[in-house]
Amino acid sequence: MSAADSASARELAQRVRFLTPAEKDDPASVPAVLEEAIRTRRVVRLTYVDRTGTETERDVEPVTFTATSNGWYLTAWCRMRGGSRIFRTDRVRRAALLEETAPERPVEAMHDDIPSDYTVRPLEFI
């Protein structure tokens, strides 16, 4: 990303806010933790509920956010499953940022299970 595009993206990100109660011991919201994990390329510990209602705790290496008409998804390398996984963000119950830096993972490799009638497009700044 060019320096000008990077500056524009940072400026835009500064205009996105989360309103939460001002309690000192309140943990950061799930969206804030996931955003920080993507931004800093750090491993995050998720408590996740799958479509059958089964809750698991797993460490993941976040790579991308993906939006669909059904909502937002986190694409990450799941250490528990040993492969790329797509997590619905509304099913993430808790998220804790870990100190560990996630290894570099190519974005293209994270979308190998996309249906053939869909196209993955990056966010474009105009």
Side-chain angles (χ1 to χ4, degrees):
M1 177 181 295
S2 72
D5 289 345
S6 179
S8 293
R10 275 195 284 284
E11 193 276 327
L12 177 61
Q14 289 298 316
R15 291 188 275 142
V16 176
R17 301 283 188 236
F18 298 99
L19 186 62
T20 59
E23 297 180 25
K24 292 182 182 181
D25 294 335
D26 204 22
S29 70
V30 167
V33 171
L34 296 179
E35 182 272 330
E36 180 73 8
I38 290 274
R39 190 177 66 75
T40 61
R41 212 179 81 231
R42 290 190 20 218
V43 176
V44 65
R45 182 161 293 146
L46 300 180
T47 301
Y48 186 76
V49 178
D50 69 15
R51 73 183 88 161
T52 66
T54 303
E55 183 174 289
T56 57
E57 183 175 275
R58 53 182 84 197
D59 292 353
V60 302
E61 302 165 8
V63 178
T64 66
F65 279 120
T66 303
T68 71
S69 59
N70 296 325
W72 284 91
Y73 296 81
L74 172 71
T75 306
W77 181 265
C78 178
R79 291 181 172 180
M80 184 173 91
R81 301 285 187 227
S84 64
R85 291 292 186 269
I86 300 174
F87 301 95
R88 279 182 39 174
T89 58
D90 63 331
R91 290 186 180 159
V92 177
R93 297 295 175 251
R94 286 180 293 287
L97 198 60
L98 304 180
E99 293 298 320
E100 182 182 356
T101 300
E104 191 83 33
R105 297 217 182 256
V107 171
E108 297 76 24
M110 304 307 286
H111 294 287
D112 59 355
D113 60 347
I114 300 296
S116 60
D117 56 340
Y118 280 78
T119 302
V120 176
R121 295 177 308 158
L123 178 64
E124 296 178 23
F125 292 98
I126 299 173

